[in-house]
Every structure is written in C-alpha cells, then in structure tokens.
Amino acid sequence: GGGVHGLSTAYYLTKLGVKDIAVLDRGYLGGGASARTTAIIRSNYLTVEGIPFFDQSVKLYEGLAKELNFNMLFNQMGRLDLGHTDAALYALRMRTEFNRILGVDSKMVGPQEIKQLVPSMSLREGLSYPILGALYHPPCGVIRHDAVVWGFGRGADRGGAELHPFTEVTAIDRANGRVTGVQTTRGFVGAEIVLNATAGWSSEVARLAGVDLPITTHPLQAMVTEPLKPFLDKTISSANLHAYVYQTDRGEVVIGGGVDPYPSYSMRSALLPMEQLAGHTLEMFPCLSKVKVLRQWAGLCDMTPDYAPIMGPVDGLDGFIVSCGWGSWGFKAAPAAGKNIASLIATGETPDLIRPFRLSRFHEGKLVNERAAAPAAAIH
C-alpha cells in the first residue's frame, strides 16, 4: 500500500538503516483512503491501549514538518466532544480521567465555557439534546493529508526506498510456511517480508496470502461547504447527533459522521448520508442553513469486531505482517503505526505499544483474550 501507512513505515525503516524496500500501490501514491480522510489528529480515546498509542502519534505529528522539511499545515485548534445527556457526560468524564491519568491534555467544560470557545454554536437550550458539557482536548488538530503523504514519500525516497505506483499485487507467493515475494502487474518482486497496509482492501490482500482477517469494509462519507468567513476555530464532535464539524484554513466547513451501516466497497457518495449530516450539523449550527455544499465523497474503512486495529506478524506465515483494521482512525495513527511496524521489521521484536493489537487475539474471527475495545461509535 502506497498510502500514509505504507509510506510512513518505509520512511521509518530507512531511519533504522533498512534500504531494500519497495512500496507498491495499484494506483497513485496516497490516492486511496489517505486522499479521502478528513485528517483530524487527536489522542482523547478511552482505553489503556489506545491512549498511549495515539498520544505518541500526536507527538510525532507535532514534529513532522521539521523532521521531513515539508510544511504540513498542522493546526492544533483543539476539539470539543459534546455531551447531550447524563449518560454521555458520564462517558466523557471517564474518558477525561483516563486521558489525564495517562498524560493526555483533556478536561471537562460546561455550557458557559463552551459558548466562550464556540460563540457560533447553539447550546440547544430548551430543545432536544441540549449541550450539557463537553470534553475539551486542546492538542487536537487538523493537517493537510496530501502534505503528509508527500512528506513521508519524499523522505522514504531520499532514504533509499523505491516507490512503485500503478503496480498492483496479484498474488503473494509462499513456501514452507513463509512469504517469498509478490506477483505484480509489472513482474515478480522477491521479499522475505511483506507488509499489508492497504486499509479498506486489507482483507482482500490478505486472502492472496491465504490469511482470513476478521475485517469488514464499510464506506465512510463526508462533505465540505462553500468557503465562508472564519467563524469556527475548534473541531466539534457529537456522538449523540452523529456528526463532527470543523472549518478549514480556506473557509470550507468539513462535515462528517459515522461509517455507513452496511459493508461495501463502493466509494460513491449518496444523498441520504448528506441529508443526515446536514440535518445533524444544523442542530448545532443553525447559522449554516443557507450555505451550499461544495462537494461530497466517500472512502473505505476496514472495521474489526472490537474496533481496534490489527498490527504485527501473522502466526503460521513467517514474514507476513499486517497493519490494518484502522476503521475511521487510520490517518491519525499513521506516524506511530509506521514507526512501530518499522521497529518490528528491523528488529524482529514486537514493540510493547502495539503488542495488544496482534492478530492472535482472534480465533476464527472471534476475540479469544480479554482486552479493552475501542469505543463502538465510529465517530472522529
């Protein structure tokens, strides 16, 4: 995969002295899920496994522009996760405390402070789903997805990796319980290690190696409005209203929500999700009622049963490594995933940070060990 995960892994491998690397993609570099992300970067998760991992990723993103000498346009604008019910507030308080215990900057704020932070947002007083409080996460930001892709790509190329766009893998060769290389539309590539970092297509690619991943692929749709004068300098998310919103530096309002409820490989946008996202957004920002939608798109998300990624080697097939099952959180995870997978490949040892995410936690598609799962709501 030649998206942000494949390219970041290649880059960090070159930093560890590994040079014999080929990054293969059937399209252009960064043209898959990396081109369709809304590029929100954050670490205010719930689990003891997820929080440190995404915290490392945020810290890597903070220094990425300097390290790669490439302007990422990373704007750490902060984020509000809204609570509209007592149950939602309880869950947000629990997340906040988990964040603080593990060193992540998060705090609870009430309606008055929310209004000060986002004057343009309706608190919905006297209406259904009033805003009762929020988890405020100052490190959250948004970044230019194409800059991240090309920064990692250029860094990997300068470090000695070979980048091969428009090179589709058609088979993964195996012998005596290990991979020996891949067949492509441009010929055979011998390899002792093959990394599957292909996002929504990861289960299909894994089948080329005889591996059945417990992953289903779901579309995720988003849209942006016409450019507006600046009115919003925070990322806003509401799990109850199933929508998140932020304004770009170009003035467009980015609007997204959860994955479509059905598995599909279709990347066609649809009217119903647009209507739902628009309606939920207007419940928070009625001031946008006359604004036009500029464009809408869909990407593919690789969803696991426990909503947590699969990272590491595959038992019974030496040399085959996966970094997938990222769902709707893949882009924000890319630097940490790439760095840790690169360490695994270079040293043969699984870093502690990704050990809980190994495929061995599943048996016949079901969880076989006790581990905390990521929140079930696939909201950014």
Side-chain angles (χ1 to χ4, degrees):
V4 67
H5 278 263
L7 292 170
S8 65
T9 305
Y11 168 74
Y12 287 115
L13 277 170
T14 65
K15 298 282 285 183
L16 294 172
V18 180
K19 308 293 184 181
D20 191 13
I21 306 163
V23 179
L24 312 178
D25 198 286
R26 71 177 181 180
Y28 62 88
L29 297 179
S34 297
R36 298 165 184 273
T37 176
T38 52
I40 297 173
I41 311 301
R42 64 184 177 94
S43 58
N44 62 337
Y45 286 89
L46 177 62
T47 68
V48 70
E49 299 92 352
I51 294 169
F53 179 87
F54 284 99
D55 186 44
Q56 183 188 80
S57 211
V58 169
K59 288 181 169 62
L60 289 170
Y61 267 121
E62 289 173 342
L64 206 55
K66 182 177 181 180
E67 179 174 346
L68 297 175
N69 192 27
F70 205 107
N71 187 2
M72 302 291 172
L73 298 176
F74 188 25
N75 178 10
Q76 289 184 277
M77 59 176 64
R79 173 187 175 94
L80 288 168
D81 284 277
L82 306 179
H84 303 269
T85 65
D86 289 342
L89 282 183
Y90 176 83
L92 291 174
R93 289 192 186 100
M94 185 165 62
R95 274 175 61 186
T96 300
E97 293 306 313
F98 279 32
N99 287 181
R100 291 165 67 90
I101 289 170
L102 293 172
V104 169
D105 185 6
S106 295
K107 66 176 182 178
M108 289 295 296
V109 294
Q112 184 174 354
E113 190 168 356
I114 293 171
K115 194 64 177 178
Q116 292 173 349
L117 290 168
V118 192
S120 58
M121 183 167 63
S122 167
L123 296 180
R124 301 187 55 76
E125 294 165 312
L127 301 173
S128 60
Y129 293 116
I131 297 176
L132 304 178
L135 186 163
Y136 181 40
H137 181 50
C140 174
V142 296
I143 200 165
R144 279 298 297 259
H145 61 84
D146 49 355
V148 176
V149 166
W150 286 107
F152 273 131
R154 188 178 72 171
D157 177 68
R158 289 179 173 178
E162 295 183 15
L163 310 181
H164 296 278
F166 306 106
T167 306
E168 182 175 359
V169 172
T170 57
I172 298 176
D173 289 1
R174 296 158 282 156
N176 301 319
R178 69 168 301 109
V179 295
T180 57
V182 297
Q183 301 287 346
T184 80
T185 51
R186 297 174 59 200
F188 175 73
V189 181
E192 295 181 355
I193 294 175
V194 174
L195 169 66
N196 177 7
T198 55
W201 302 98
S202 56
S203 57
E204 296 297 311
V205 172
R207 287 191 185 101
L208 299 177
V211 175
D212 187 18
L213 292 177
I215 283 175
T216 56
T217 295
H218 291 251
L220 176 66
Q221 302 195 36
M223 62 187 186
V224 296
T225 71
E226 60 186 321
L228 306 171
K229 291 181 179 180
F231 75 99
L232 179 62
D233 63 357
K234 298 286 183 288
T235 299
I236 308 299
S237 176
S238 170
N240 290 116
L241 298 178
H242 306 289
Y244 64 89
V245 181
Y246 72 86
Q247 189 174 24
T248 72
D249 52 4
R250 294 181 298 192
E252 300 168 345
V253 180
V254 178
I255 301 170
V259 296
D260 290 352
Y262 50 84
S264 172
Y265 287 92
S266 172
M267 286 184 281
R268 293 175 61 90
S269 54
L271 179 60
L272 180 58
M274 178 191 285
E275 290 179 328
Q276 292 172 335
L277 288 174
H280 295 320
T281 300
L282 289 176
E283 292 183 83
M284 295 182 283
F285 295 96
C287 58
L288 298 177
S289 61
K290 302 300 182 182
V291 173
K292 295 179 176 62
V293 172
L294 187 65
R295 62 186 180 275
Q296 180 190 10
W297 68 93
L300 299 179
C301 295
D302 41 334
M303 311 298 294
T304 62
D306 64 348
Y307 292 88
I310 301 173
M311 305 173 68
V314 174
D315 293 341
L317 185 58
D318 292 344
F320 190 62
I321 296 173
V322 294
S323 180
C324 54
W326 288 105
S328 59
W329 308 285
F331 198 88
K332 59 179 66 67
K339 188 169 188 176
N340 284 278
I341 291 292
S343 176
L344 165 64
I345 292 171
T347 67
E349 299 293 328
T350 302
D352 290 339
L353 198 63
I354 67 172
R355 194 174 295 277
F357 304 120
R358 288 178 56 135
L359 181 60
S360 55
R361 73 180 189 268
F362 293 104
H363 177 67
E364 295 181 351
K366 297 179 180 179
L367 283 166
V368 294
N369 65 336
E370 301 253 344
R371 63 182 307 278
I379 296 289
H380 282 254

